[in-house]
Amino acid sequence: GVNPLQSLMAQADACLKRQEWDRVRSLCQKALLLTQRAPVPDNTVQADCYITLGGIALDQERRYRKSLVLYRQGWRAAVKQGATGEGGMVFARIYRNLASNYYHLGRYCVAERMARKALALLEQQGGAYHPFFLDYLNTLFTILQQQGRWQEAGAVAWRGVVVRGKTLGRRHPEYLSAIFDLGVFCGYSRQARLARIFLTKYLQGCQFARLPPARGMVFAYGSLAQLR
């Protein structure tokens, strides 16, 4: 017959995609009860449930301390399972979510440490070409930016630009958008010389790719003029 635990997790995953948060919460709590009552608890399922519940508490309810407790429970479950290899992604997810959690609590040093741990684990799994790499990189960028560490944040943003250039190509709109965002960031952080370089690169890239004029392009011209 159908494994009831697998059935619950499959339903939870489907509801998660439909953003039915109350239903997801209910299914994860049922799955947790099932695995806790089992002769040999399934720590992988427990870790997934705690991470999912922590995400709902963090992103939907803005209950940061509650989500912190849930992520820590997920971490303990993953440790008991001995997650390695692909299972290491469980820890990467937990560390990245903890980074976001500590960021919202204003604990930026801890948030940065968690974000760097998550990135290191992700690079072990697939390097800069892992599908989640840019999201994780952006988490670190946001934390550094919040602390006013402009040069370090800019270096992280540039790393994201390089990855997009290699994976998408230099004519791709997403690559050009990243160049533009970096130029605007440099202008905002009063790095005028770098802002000119990146905004000029953005404009040249748009012309080379023959992209139609966009609001971003007009703003880039205005930004360049203000930095002179």
Side-chain angles (χ1 to χ4, degrees):
V2 179
N3 184 315
L5 195 56
Q6 291 179 349
S7 176
L8 283 172
M9 295 308 294
Q11 290 177 62
D13 188 53
C15 291
L16 195 62
K17 291 174 182 175
R18 295 195 296 267
Q19 299 184 352
E20 297 173 355
W21 311 120
D22 289 339
R23 181 68 175 148
V24 173
R25 189 186 297 107
S26 174
L27 289 165
C28 283
Q29 288 168 346
K30 286 179 181 178
L32 280 172
L33 282 173
L34 267 181
T35 187
Q36 287 165 358
R37 290 171 180 171
V40 181
D42 189 328
N43 290 298
T44 300
V45 169
Q46 285 190 19
D48 284 340
C49 286
Y50 284 129
I51 292 170
T52 301
L53 290 170
I56 293 173
L58 175 65
D59 298 323
Q60 305 304 318
E61 301 172 343
R62 299 292 188 267
R63 297 177 65 182
Y64 303 124
R65 297 191 184 282
K66 176 184 176 182
S67 63
L68 193 61
V69 171
L70 289 165
Y71 287 138
R72 284 172 174 167
Q73 288 176 303
W75 183 86
R76 284 194 288 269
V79 169
K80 288 179 183 177
Q81 187 65 22
T84 57
E86 285 299 318
M89 271 304 299
V90 173
F91 288 118
R93 286 173 61 201
I94 292 170
Y95 287 136
R96 193 258 187 150
N97 292 340
L98 281 171
S100 181
N101 217 118
Y102 282 119
Y103 170 82
H104 286 291
L105 290 170
R107 298 177 63 182
Y108 302 125
C109 290
V110 184
E112 180 187 346
R113 190 163 67 247
M114 295 295 104
R116 291 190 185 279
K117 278 188 175 184
L119 266 174
L121 283 171
L122 199 65
E123 287 181 292
Q124 290 174 15
Q125 299 300 317
Y129 301 103
H130 193 285
F132 296 152
F133 182 79
L134 291 172
D135 288 338
Y136 281 40
L137 203 63
N138 189 59
T139 299
L140 179 59
F141 168 79
T142 302
I143 293 165
L144 293 171
Q145 183 184 34
Q146 182 64 33
Q147 296 176 82
R149 293 160 62 183
W150 309 119
Q151 290 186 343
E152 291 173 79
V156 169
W158 172 247
R159 194 176 175 194
V161 169
V162 171
V163 171
R164 286 183 176 91
K166 289 180 178 179
T167 55
L168 301 173
R170 296 187 176 184
R171 293 190 184 190
H172 196 282
E174 191 174 320
Y175 168 79
L176 294 172
S177 177
I179 286 279
F180 172 72
D181 290 342
L182 183 54
V184 172
F185 166 75
C186 288
Y188 173 76
S189 58
R190 299 187 179 183
Q191 301 178 71
R193 185 182 66 83
L194 287 174
R196 284 194 200 95
I197 290 171
F198 290 128
L199 290 176
T200 300
K201 192 176 182 68
Y202 164 74
L203 293 170
Q204 291 171 343
C206 285
Q207 291 167 1
F208 186 70
R210 296 183 179 180
L211 290 176
R215 208 181 322 173
M217 184 179 287
V218 174
F219 184 75
Y221 273 118
S223 299
L224 276 173
Q226 290 175 12
L227 290 170
R228 283 174 185 158

